[in-house]
Amino acid sequence: MENAERIEVTLVDQPYSNLVISPNNGLLSVTTGTLCEIRYLEKSGAARQLLKHDSNVVAAFFQSEHRLITVTENGEVSEFEAGERGFEKKSSKRVTAFPVVCAFAQKSSSSDTSKDLEIWLVVEKSADVTSSKNEKTYDVCVIGANGSFFKVLEIPSDCRKEQISIENRVVSYAHRLDVHSIVLKDVDFSVIKETKFTAKNGGHEGGPPHEIERLASNGNYLVAAISDGRILQWSNLRSAGVSDTHHRIHWHKVGIHVAVTQFGNVLSAGAECVLARHSKGQKEPTKLPRLAAPVTGLVLSDDSSTCALVMEDNSIHTVLLATMAIKSLVSTLEYCPRSLNTVFCSDPLRPRDIVMNGKPGHIQWFDAATAYTLSKMHVTLENTIDGDMSSRGIKCAFRDVLTVAFTQKLVATIEKFVHFDGENHLRFWKRKGNATDTVLVASIAVPKDVVMVATCQTPTASRFVNTIITASTSGTLSVWDYTEKEVLEDMERSRNWQETEIRDISMIQANGKFVSAHGQHAVLWSVKNMKIIDVLSCDDDILKVSFAADERHLIISTKKGVICWDTLCLLVVWRIQQRVGIHVGYTGCYALDGPQVMKFDAESGRVLETVQFSTPVEELIVVEKRQNAIVYVAKTAKGILCNRPRKIKQSGKSNGAVTDLKTPFSQLARQNSTTTTPKSTSSSGDQQFVRQPRPEAARLFAGPVYQLPPISFIAPLFIEKSLLPPPVRS
């Protein structure tokens, strides 16, 4: 909800889709739910621009580098034009009352200017509107350059939007293993020819049936991607449809995303984390391997020189097809639906940032004001994980981060197996310098019911700062002593209170106290000798326990209300009979009641202020970006939402600058740009390359092998670096 002083911003809603690159290859448009984002590929430090709509955006098109057209699900076609303040809406018109399935754009043949576009819509009819054959269909309609809107033809409604392609007056659609192609006249859009092709199943008996998952066309070329990894290509679409001889490619294991260039080269990418370019006459494709994550979206530029990839972790990469090398990385907030997404907390070493799951096996620190991932930590130490292949009966087992706890000097993580019944792993990391520069100290296999970990986050608590507690749902509490060389479990301090299930544990306080929640009882422990100080009966099942900032009052959330327990006097201070969620952090105590967030005083329970979200809040993190600039970040059923002041000064470290990977060495220079002076950060990539100290170049080979660029890309640059004069040192 918005008011005069605060606004609500959607950080993550749905995975990115509907990519499109501007004609000059300088802008990139991508949609997520009701938002259309404009990303700048060439302007360093330019932030994203959000264009809000009333319903989900199904397509976006660049008419020029200064004009953008969007189509929404409810039939609204909007036109945006670039100005001094970015893209601004110039016109909007609802052209149909029926839901729009997908949309396509192509240059108008009847217009005098080649920049005018014809918008083709595939419209879903309502249940009471049927075709002449008494079967449900989709209407293919066209919006002319002069604004006229009329129906062209009907196609079956049992095909998805990925199975429909319209290009060069040819409407193609797929259903199961059938591909249909309808060639239309340029003037009156009457049907010239209709052809059909049926692919062979090629599957194993008893396995899931294959189908054509995606179609892509460009000029006179059409490609179809089948769920078993096969690709079919036709080269005379306008003249012969799909009745002509086709070319078959089978390199992938499962269905992939495909695109075809204006020269007939086929691009494919998917779950294998590889971008492949298939050219006629070549037996093997040209590959860009070791991508950061599986590919979930692929789009070509108008001149077929650049392709943009959307990864499973919501990151966007642009690739220069001439060299098959990564051109740039567009700054985004990583979000992967396949991850566990159970980590959602703050870090005492970086209190202004939010910690959350990234792609499988990773955690990330992101800035809520800019919605950019600032840094990442690879926890599971596994190579890039293949994408989801469950549709073909292939399940990849992998580890992901279940929970994490921080102190100023260490990180404790718990990992669990996904798609495999195995033990959890408890890892301890030594922190060096900043939050993500860590060294693994110990990795220990623990039972799979060990799912909670607690540390002492108070920097002044030197006596217990190296003590870690883990808890299992079966009721076992374990104490670990951490040193920079090893981590040992103190078996004498292991406890199991009445062999009851543990619901939650609090962090360790500076005086060595912590609380574990067992059913309806909160047990107060002393970490020093693991003796029980007191037990509080709450008369209801406990959901969460957290200490307030004064380290004295314990806030307990139950199924029926909230209780404040004074752990010094061992008395209940106040009790509220209302079921609400709680969040306790360094900024205060908060109660979550549906979409309403109430900040309350820990000692008296009095409500201090309230903030309203647009949807019920499941989890909450509150950070203070500047003095009295409080930012609320909520995890909801609609994604990650942020409620912040309307005007907030952003840190220079989180300006969302686009990383331009022209060379591997410039990538290394940009990673250290936050420590340089403003004068040096404004210099070009080549100047940074010359001034970069030589020891930094050695870091190129220090990372995992899947992150290394191809050797054919490194060798010329490495030779050039060796021949350059030594850097000028001031």
Side-chain angles (χ1 to χ4, degrees):
M1 304 293 290
E2 299 185 4
N3 54 38
E5 298 181 355
R6 303 188 67 88
I7 59 173
E8 181 180 305
V9 180
T10 301
L11 303 183
V12 173
D13 183 5
Q14 300 175 13
Y16 283 142
S17 60
N18 303 319
L19 271 80
V20 61
I21 303 176
S22 64
N24 64 348
N25 297 338
L27 299 175
L28 186 144
S29 172
V30 62
T31 65
T32 169
T34 60
L35 298 177
C36 178
E37 298 186 12
I38 306 297
R39 301 280 186 167
Y40 298 85
L41 300 179
E42 296 180 353
K43 294 182 180 180
S44 177
R48 63 174 182 169
Q49 183 180 357
L50 300 180
L51 307 178
K52 294 184 179 181
H53 298 76
D54 295 333
S55 61
N56 290 339
V57 183
V58 298
F61 314 102
F62 277 105
Q63 191 169 353
S64 66
E65 57 268 23
H66 304 294
R67 184 168 296 179
L68 178 73
I69 297 175
T70 61
V71 181
T72 63
E73 195 175 31
N74 65 357
E76 182 182 5
V77 179
S78 303
E79 183 177 342
F80 297 85
E81 189 172 342
E84 296 180 356
R85 298 182 179 181
F87 281 84
E88 299 178 353
K89 182 182 289 189
K90 294 299 180 181
S91 64
S92 179
K93 180 182 180 181
R94 188 172 184 181
V95 296
T96 177
F98 298 111
V100 177
V101 179
C102 56
F104 303 88
Q106 52 186 301
K107 294 180 180 179
S108 175
S109 60
S110 60
S111 177
D112 297 334
T113 60
S114 60
K115 291 185 178 181
D116 291 334
L117 295 179
E118 287 179 350
I119 308 298
W120 291 68
L121 305 180
V122 179
V123 179
E124 179 182 358
K125 290 183 177 179
S126 60
D128 56 345
V129 179
T130 57
S131 66
S132 59
K133 299 181 181 180
N134 294 325
E135 58 183 15
K136 191 176 180 180
T137 59
Y138 287 156
D139 284 347
V140 178
C141 306
V142 62
I143 305 175
N146 56 359
S148 59
F149 178 83
F150 54 91
K151 174 182 173 182
V152 177
L153 53 86
E154 296 178 351
I155 62 175
S157 62
D158 50 3
C159 50
R160 303 184 305 272
K161 68 175 185 177
E162 297 86 1
Q163 298 172 313
I164 304 172
S165 178
I166 301 176
E167 174 73 19
N168 197 21
R169 302 295 193 283
V170 179
V171 179
S172 304
Y173 63 92
H175 174 60
R176 295 180 181 175
L177 289 173
D178 297 333
V179 180
H180 300 261
S181 178
I182 305 174
V183 183
L184 306 175
K185 289 184 179 180
D186 290 337
V187 181
D188 58 356
F189 301 107
S190 60
V191 178
I192 300 176
K193 180 186 299 185
E194 184 174 355
T195 57
K196 175 184 176 182
F197 173 83
T198 302
K200 296 181 180 180
N201 187 9
H204 302 286
E205 294 184 1
H210 294 308
E211 67 170 356
I212 296 176
E213 294 185 342
R214 292 176 179 85
L215 293 180
S217 56
N218 191 346
N220 215 22
Y221 298 98
L222 173 70
V223 292
I226 307 179
S227 56
D228 63 352
R230 286 178 290 165
I231 301 174
L232 307 180
Q233 180 183 11
W234 290 269
S235 302
N236 298 309
L237 184 63
R238 179 69 184 173
S239 57
V242 293
S243 61
D244 199 3
T245 305
H246 67 276
H247 178 62
R248 188 174 77 95
I249 304 168
H250 197 172
W251 188 84
H252 296 270
K253 293 182 287 186
V254 293
I256 67 289
H257 295 264
V258 291
V260 57
T261 68
Q262 58 187 358
F263 312 108
N265 296 328
V266 179
L267 298 174
S268 62
E272 297 88 355
C273 307
V274 176
L275 173 66
R277 183 184 64 197
H278 310 270
S279 303
K280 290 185 178 180
Q282 294 184 359
K283 294 183 179 180
E284 293 292 331
T286 304
K287 299 182 288 291
L288 175 60
R290 301 184 297 271
L291 295 175
V295 178
T296 58
L298 189 156
V299 68
L300 268 173
S301 61
D302 291 343
D303 57 3
S304 298
S305 65
T306 305
C307 113
L309 305 175
V310 175
M311 303 300 185
E312 185 186 41
D313 59 2
N314 234 27
S315 61
I316 301 176
H317 298 213
T318 60
V319 178
L320 189 63
L321 296 181
T323 58
M324 286 295 286
I326 293 179
K327 180 182 178 182
S328 64
L329 305 179
V330 182
S331 300
T332 61
L333 173 58
E334 289 191 3
Y335 178 76
C336 180
R338 199 159 58 102
S339 296
L340 292 177
N341 290 320
T342 53
V343 177
F344 191 69
C345 61
S346 58
D347 182 1
L349 196 59
R350 300 175 63 170
R352 295 179 179 176
D353 302 330
I354 311 296
V355 184
M356 189 176 69
N357 290 94
K359 61 184 178 181
H362 292 69
I363 58 175
Q364 62 174 329
W365 287 256
F366 71 90
D367 183 9
T370 59
Y372 292 134
T373 297
L374 303 177
S375 53
K376 296 178 288 186
M377 177 180 174
H378 192 180
V379 178
T380 60
L381 304 179
E382 293 181 343
N383 288 335
T384 303
I385 301 168
D386 286 345
D388 186 13
M389 304 181 186
S390 57
S391 61
R392 310 314 311 162
I394 304 174
K395 288 189 177 181
C396 300
F398 59 92
R399 290 192 183 100
D400 201 2
V401 185
L402 179 64
T403 185
V404 60
F406 300 95
T407 70
Q408 299 283 344
K409 297 182 179 179
L410 69 93
V411 180
T413 61
I414 297 180
E415 312 158 19
K416 69 169 294 184
F417 265 111
V418 179
H419 298 153
F420 183 73
D421 189 14
E423 294 180 324
N424 291 353
H425 274 73
L426 174 64
R427 298 184 194 266
F428 299 93
W429 310 77
K430 175 186 175 183
R431 310 184 83 167
K432 297 169 56 181
N434 57 53
T436 57
D437 188 4
T438 56
V439 176
L440 181 63
V441 178
S443 179
I444 303 165
V446 295
K448 60 182 180 181
D449 64 343
V450 177
V451 295
M452 290 167 276
V453 60
T455 57
C456 183
Q457 298 185 352
T458 306
T460 58
S462 59
R463 185 174 181 181
F464 302 103
V465 74
N466 292 328
T467 302
I468 303 99
I469 295 176
T470 58
S472 64
T473 55
S474 59
T476 302
L477 293 169
S478 301
V479 182
W480 306 80
D481 293 323
Y482 165 86
T483 63
E484 294 184 356
K485 296 182 179 180
E486 62 180 357
V487 179
L488 299 177
E489 180 181 5
D490 190 347
M491 302 299 295
E492 295 182 356
R493 288 191 286 175
S494 179
R495 297 291 185 269
N496 193 326
W497 187 78
Q498 296 184 359
E499 298 183 355
T500 55
E501 178 184 0
I502 296 179
R503 303 287 182 86
D504 190 26
I505 59 175
S506 70
M507 291 296 169
I508 305 172
Q509 303 307 298
N511 53 12
K513 295 180 181 179
F514 90 100
V515 174
S516 59
H518 303 256
Q520 298 183 358
H521 297 83
V523 182
L524 180 63
W525 302 83
S526 173
V527 178
K528 180 179 179 181
N529 49 21
M530 286 301 290
K531 289 185 178 181
I532 297 176
I533 300 175
D534 196 8
V535 178
L536 175 66
S537 178
C538 300
D539 300 329
D540 197 11
D541 291 337
I542 299 175
L543 301 177
K544 187 174 182 180
V545 292
S546 296
F547 273 97
D550 59 8
E551 299 188 357
R552 172 176 174 176
H553 294 89
L554 180 73
I555 310 299
I556 305 173
S557 173
T558 69
K559 289 185 177 181
K560 292 183 179 179
V562 180
I563 301 172
C564 178
W565 187 23
D566 189 339
T567 58
L568 181 61
C569 301
L570 303 179
L571 296 173
V572 174
V573 181
W574 51 264
R575 184 192 301 260
I576 297 176
Q577 295 295 330
Q578 180 183 359
R579 180 173 179 175
V580 294
I582 61 170
H583 164 69
V584 180
Y586 71 93
T587 58
C589 303
Y590 303 87
L592 317 178
D593 184 16
Q596 189 178 34
V597 176
M598 298 172 286
K599 182 178 181 180
F600 62 90
D601 180 66
E603 188 173 355
S604 63
R606 183 172 57 91
V607 175
L608 304 177
E609 61 181 14
T610 61
V611 172
Q612 190 82 10
F613 281 86
S614 60
T615 186
V617 177
E618 298 174 358
E619 295 184 53
L620 180 73
I621 299 295
V622 183
V623 297
E624 186 176 5
K625 300 296 293 184
R626 294 292 184 269
Q627 186 177 6
N628 298 326
I630 303 298
V631 177
Y632 297 80
V633 183
K635 180 186 290 187
T636 69
K638 295 184 178 180
I640 308 298
L641 306 181
C642 173
N643 187 296
R644 62 175 177 84
R646 185 175 294 273
K647 295 182 179 180
I648 182 171
K649 185 179 179 181
Q650 300 172 0
S651 172
K653 295 183 180 181
S654 57
N655 58 2
V658 177
T659 305
D660 186 8
L661 299 183
K662 295 181 180 179
T663 68
F665 298 98
S666 64
Q667 178 186 8
L668 295 175
R670 296 294 177 88
Q671 290 177 351
N672 292 335
S673 62
T674 57
T675 59
T676 58
T677 61
K679 182 178 180 179
S680 61
T681 55
S682 63
S683 60
S684 64
D686 294 337
Q687 291 175 339
Q688 289 184 355
F689 164 66
V690 174
R691 295 179 181 178
Q692 190 69 15
R694 291 184 184 273
E696 292 294 327
R699 293 178 53 192
L700 181 63
F701 302 97
V705 65
Y706 62 86
Q707 291 184 351
L708 298 180
I711 190 66
S712 60
F713 192 52
I714 297 176
L717 300 170
F718 188 79
I719 295 173
E720 181 184 1
K721 171 68 175 177
S722 302
L723 296 177
L724 286 173
V728 179
R729 300 175 182 269
S730 58

